[in-house]
Amino acid sequence: ALARGLGDVYKRQKELELLITIAVERMPPQRQRIYKMSREQGMSNDEIAASLCINKRTVENHLTQALADIRKLLSLILIIFF
């Protein structure tokens, strides 16, 4: 029973990762790039800003909007399917 429970948790985690991937792919290119640099590459906001030659506040704004986009899609999915 425990193994099946863990299998369900793993399946839900993979489904959640897929939904996040879909949300990220729907983002505008710059927001997508900044989100990936932050979350997938582990770069700090300062590092991202320096790498892209943009203001740190711009990075913060993009990340805030990226997370809002993800939350919005996940909320919609939960409303539709659960």
Side-chain angles (χ1 to χ4, degrees):
L2 179 60
R4 188 173 67 211
L6 291 176
D8 289 344
V9 169
Y10 179 76
K11 181 181 174 193
R12 292 281 183 209
Q13 178 181 344
K14 288 299 173 190
E15 290 170 350
L16 182 59
E17 289 173 4
L18 177 61
L19 291 173
I20 292 171
T21 298
I22 291 168
V24 172
E25 288 174 355
R26 296 181 56 182
M27 292 176 189
Q30 182 80 329
R31 186 179 307 157
Q32 186 180 126
R33 184 178 308 112
I34 289 170
Y35 177 85
K36 288 180 177 182
M37 292 171 87
S38 172
R39 296 306 193 263
E40 295 175 10
Q41 299 174 24
M43 294 174 70
S44 71
N45 292 356
D46 287 326
E47 291 170 329
I48 295 168
S51 174
L52 298 178
C53 299
I54 58 176
N55 190 287
K56 179 182 174 185
R57 187 72 184 133
T58 303
V59 171
E60 293 167 353
N61 290 339
H62 276 290
L63 288 174
T64 298
Q65 190 57 52
L67 295 174
D69 291 349
I70 291 169
R71 276 192 302 273
K72 193 182 314 176
L73 179 66
L74 293 179
S75 295
L76 183 62
I77 296 295
L78 287 174
I79 290 168
I80 293 173
F81 293 105
F82 299 99

mmCIF file of all heavy atoms in Angstrom, residues 14-27 32 35-36 40 70 73:
data_model
loop_
_atom_site.group_PDB
_atom_site.id
_atom_site.type_symbol
_atom_site.label_atom_id
_atom_site.label_comp_id
_atom_site.label_asym_id
_atom_site.label_seq_id
_atom_site.Cartn_x
_atom_site.Cartn_y
_atom_site.Cartn_z
ATOM 1 N N LYS A 14 4.900 14.407 -11.338
ATOM 2 C CA LYS A 14 5.204 14.489 -12.772
ATOM 3 C C LYS A 14 4.139 15.288 -13.505
ATOM 4 O O LYS A 14 4.444 16.067 -14.412
ATOM 5 C CB LYS A 14 5.335 13.084 -13.378
ATOM 6 C CG LYS A 14 6.598 12.372 -12.950
ATOM 7 C CD LYS A 14 7.797 13.164 -13.419
ATOM 8 C CE LYS A 14 9.092 12.634 -12.904
ATOM 9 N NZ LYS A 14 10.206 13.528 -13.172
ATOM 10 N N GLU A 15 2.870 15.114 -13.121
ATOM 11 C CA GLU A 15 1.780 15.874 -13.739
ATOM 12 C C GLU A 15 1.946 17.366 -13.452
ATOM 13 O O GLU A 15 1.769 18.201 -14.341
ATOM 14 C CB GLU A 15 0.427 15.386 -13.230
ATOM 15 C CG GLU A 15 0.056 13.998 -13.723
ATOM 16 C CD GLU A 15 -1.165 13.421 -13.026
ATOM 17 O OE1 GLU A 15 -1.629 14.006 -12.021
ATOM 18 O OE2 GLU A 15 -1.642 12.370 -13.488
ATOM 19 N N LEU A 16 2.311 17.693 -12.217
ATOM 20 C CA LEU A 16 2.519 19.083 -11.839
ATOM 21 C C LEU A 16 3.689 19.682 -12.619
ATOM 22 O O LEU A 16 3.605 20.806 -13.128
ATOM 23 C CB LEU A 16 2.771 19.189 -10.334
ATOM 24 C CG LEU A 16 2.969 20.584 -9.772
ATOM 25 C CD1 LEU A 16 1.764 21.468 -10.041
ATOM 26 C CD2 LEU A 16 3.242 20.503 -8.270
ATOM 27 N N GLU A 17 4.776 18.927 -12.745
ATOM 28 C CA GLU A 17 5.932 19.395 -13.515
ATOM 29 C C GLU A 17 5.546 19.658 -14.967
ATOM 30 O O GLU A 17 5.983 20.643 -15.563
ATOM 31 C CB GLU A 17 7.066 18.382 -13.441
ATOM 32 C CG GLU A 17 7.736 18.317 -12.082
ATOM 33 C CD GLU A 17 8.742 17.183 -11.965
ATOM 34 O OE1 GLU A 17 8.993 16.462 -12.950
ATOM 35 O OE2 GLU A 17 9.285 17.008 -10.855
ATOM 36 N N LEU A 18 4.709 18.795 -15.535
ATOM 37 C CA LEU A 18 4.258 18.978 -16.916
ATOM 38 C C LEU A 18 3.425 20.250 -17.043
ATOM 39 O O LEU A 18 3.603 21.024 -17.992
ATOM 40 C CB LEU A 18 3.463 17.761 -17.387
ATOM 41 C CG LEU A 18 2.878 17.857 -18.795
ATOM 42 C CD1 LEU A 18 3.975 18.027 -19.839
ATOM 43 C CD2 LEU A 18 2.026 16.636 -19.097
ATOM 44 N N LEU A 19 2.529 20.485 -16.096
ATOM 45 C CA LEU A 19 1.701 21.700 -16.138
ATOM 46 C C LEU A 19 2.566 22.953 -16.023
ATOM 47 O O LEU A 19 2.326 23.943 -16.720
ATOM 48 C CB LEU A 19 0.660 21.667 -15.024
ATOM 49 C CG LEU A 19 -0.439 20.629 -15.185
ATOM 50 C CD1 LEU A 19 -1.310 20.576 -13.938
ATOM 51 C CD2 LEU A 19 -1.282 20.916 -16.421
ATOM 52 N N ILE A 20 3.578 22.915 -15.168
ATOM 53 C CA ILE A 20 4.482 24.059 -15.037
ATOM 54 C C ILE A 20 5.252 24.270 -16.335
ATOM 55 O O ILE A 20 5.401 25.403 -16.803
ATOM 56 C CB ILE A 20 5.422 23.883 -13.825
ATOM 57 C CG1 ILE A 20 4.611 23.969 -12.530
ATOM 58 C CG2 ILE A 20 6.552 24.907 -13.848
ATOM 59 C CD1 ILE A 20 5.376 23.605 -11.282
ATOM 60 N N THR A 21 5.706 23.191 -16.947
ATOM 61 C CA THR A 21 6.414 23.289 -18.232
ATOM 62 C C THR A 21 5.525 23.933 -19.287
ATOM 63 O O THR A 21 5.969 24.806 -20.038
ATOM 64 C CB THR A 21 6.876 21.893 -18.698
ATOM 65 O OG1 THR A 21 7.797 21.379 -17.733
ATOM 66 C CG2 THR A 21 7.548 21.954 -20.066
ATOM 67 N N ILE A 22 4.263 23.525 -19.327
ATOM 68 C CA ILE A 22 3.316 24.109 -20.286
ATOM 69 C C ILE A 22 3.148 25.600 -20.017
ATOM 70 O O ILE A 22 3.171 26.420 -20.946
ATOM 71 C CB ILE A 22 1.965 23.372 -20.227
ATOM 72 C CG1 ILE A 22 2.119 21.961 -20.779
ATOM 73 C CG2 ILE A 22 0.884 24.151 -20.969
ATOM 74 C CD1 ILE A 22 0.935 21.059 -20.509
ATOM 75 N N ALA A 23 2.995 25.972 -18.748
ATOM 76 C CA ALA A 23 2.848 27.387 -18.394
ATOM 77 C C ALA A 23 4.073 28.185 -18.814
ATOM 78 O O ALA A 23 3.949 29.284 -19.371
ATOM 79 C CB ALA A 23 2.604 27.530 -16.892
ATOM 80 N N VAL A 24 5.255 27.637 -18.582
ATOM 81 C CA VAL A 24 6.498 28.332 -18.936
ATOM 82 C C VAL A 24 6.613 28.493 -20.449
ATOM 83 O O VAL A 24 6.992 29.556 -20.946
ATOM 84 C CB VAL A 24 7.726 27.602 -18.348
ATOM 85 C CG1 VAL A 24 9.027 28.191 -18.875
ATOM 86 C CG2 VAL A 24 7.689 27.649 -16.821
ATOM 87 N N GLU A 25 6.246 27.453 -21.194
ATOM 88 C CA GLU A 25 6.334 27.528 -22.655
ATOM 89 C C GLU A 25 5.382 28.558 -23.243
ATOM 90 O O GLU A 25 5.611 29.049 -24.345
ATOM 91 C CB GLU A 25 6.063 26.150 -23.261
ATOM 92 C CG GLU A 25 7.207 25.176 -23.022
ATOM 93 C CD GLU A 25 6.901 23.761 -23.492
ATOM 94 O OE1 GLU A 25 5.760 23.490 -23.923
ATOM 95 O OE2 GLU A 25 7.819 22.923 -23.409
ATOM 96 N N ARG A 26 4.345 28.910 -22.524
ATOM 97 C CA ARG A 26 3.373 29.901 -23.006
ATOM 98 C C ARG A 26 3.777 31.330 -22.669
ATOM 99 O O ARG A 26 3.140 32.282 -23.111
ATOM 100 C CB ARG A 26 2.001 29.602 -22.400
ATOM 101 C CG ARG A 26 1.438 28.259 -22.863
ATOM 102 C CD ARG A 26 0.089 28.000 -22.280
ATOM 103 N NE ARG A 26 -0.795 29.115 -22.632
ATOM 104 C CZ ARG A 26 -2.047 29.231 -22.248
ATOM 105 N NH1 ARG A 26 -2.584 28.317 -21.497
ATOM 106 N NH2 ARG A 26 -2.767 30.269 -22.603
ATOM 107 N N MET A 27 4.829 31.498 -21.879
ATOM 108 C CA MET A 27 5.284 32.831 -21.479
ATOM 109 C C MET A 27 5.981 33.539 -22.634
ATOM 110 O O MET A 27 6.555 32.888 -23.503
ATOM 111 C CB MET A 27 6.279 32.723 -20.311
ATOM 112 C CG MET A 27 5.688 32.246 -19.030
ATOM 113 S SD MET A 27 6.986 32.063 -17.767
ATOM 114 C CE MET A 27 6.050 31.241 -16.497
ATOM 115 N N GLN A 32 10.176 33.865 -20.061
ATOM 116 C CA GLN A 32 10.530 32.449 -20.062
ATOM 117 C C GLN A 32 12.028 32.270 -19.794
ATOM 118 O O GLN A 32 12.426 31.448 -18.969
ATOM 119 C CB GLN A 32 10.154 31.839 -21.418
ATOM 120 C CG GLN A 32 10.326 30.364 -21.515
ATOM 121 C CD GLN A 32 9.929 29.848 -22.887
ATOM 122 O OE1 GLN A 32 10.729 29.182 -23.516
ATOM 123 N NE2 GLN A 32 8.740 30.158 -23.363
ATOM 124 N N TYR A 35 12.806 33.139 -16.137
ATOM 125 C CA TYR A 35 12.301 32.093 -15.243
ATOM 126 C C TYR A 35 13.233 30.878 -15.264
ATOM 127 O O TYR A 35 13.600 30.349 -14.215
ATOM 128 C CB TYR A 35 10.877 31.678 -15.645
ATOM 129 C CG TYR A 35 10.355 30.543 -14.797
ATOM 130 C CD1 TYR A 35 9.761 30.788 -13.570
ATOM 131 C CD2 TYR A 35 10.500 29.222 -15.204
ATOM 132 C CE1 TYR A 35 9.308 29.747 -12.769
ATOM 133 C CE2 TYR A 35 10.049 28.176 -14.411
ATOM 134 C CZ TYR A 35 9.457 28.444 -13.201
ATOM 135 O OH TYR A 35 9.019 27.406 -12.420
ATOM 136 N N LYS A 36 13.617 30.444 -16.455
ATOM 137 C CA LYS A 36 14.485 29.277 -16.576
ATOM 138 C C LYS A 36 15.862 29.529 -15.956
ATOM 139 O O LYS A 36 16.435 28.649 -15.305
ATOM 140 C CB LYS A 36 14.633 28.860 -18.041
ATOM 141 C CG LYS A 36 13.376 28.221 -18.596
ATOM 142 C CD LYS A 36 13.561 27.833 -20.039
ATOM 143 C CE LYS A 36 12.332 27.124 -20.584
ATOM 144 N NZ LYS A 36 12.520 26.707 -21.978
ATOM 145 N N GLU A 40 15.750 26.904 -13.181
ATOM 146 C CA GLU A 40 16.414 25.709 -13.713
ATOM 147 C C GLU A 40 17.934 25.789 -13.589
ATOM 148 O O GLU A 40 18.589 24.783 -13.372
ATOM 149 C CB GLU A 40 16.005 25.475 -15.165
ATOM 150 C CG GLU A 40 14.520 25.141 -15.316
ATOM 151 C CD GLU A 40 14.073 25.029 -16.751
ATOM 152 O OE1 GLU A 40 14.931 25.021 -17.666
ATOM 153 O OE2 GLU A 40 12.847 24.956 -16.967
ATOM 154 N N ILE A 70 2.010 30.904 -13.706
ATOM 155 C CA ILE A 70 1.967 29.492 -13.314
ATOM 156 C C ILE A 70 0.795 29.250 -12.359
ATOM 157 O O ILE A 70 0.028 28.303 -12.530
ATOM 158 C CB ILE A 70 3.304 29.062 -12.683
ATOM 159 C CG1 ILE A 70 4.390 29.040 -13.766
ATOM 160 C CG2 ILE A 70 3.181 27.693 -12.013
ATOM 161 C CD1 ILE A 70 5.796 28.892 -13.231
ATOM 162 N N LEU A 73 -2.556 29.269 -14.273
ATOM 163 C CA LEU A 73 -2.815 28.036 -15.027
ATOM 164 C C LEU A 73 -3.165 26.889 -14.083
ATOM 165 O O LEU A 73 -4.116 26.148 -14.333
ATOM 166 C CB LEU A 73 -1.610 27.653 -15.888
ATOM 167 C CG LEU A 73 -1.789 26.355 -16.681
ATOM 168 C CD1 LEU A 73 -2.886 26.510 -17.732
ATOM 169 C CD2 LEU A 73 -0.495 25.926 -17.329
#
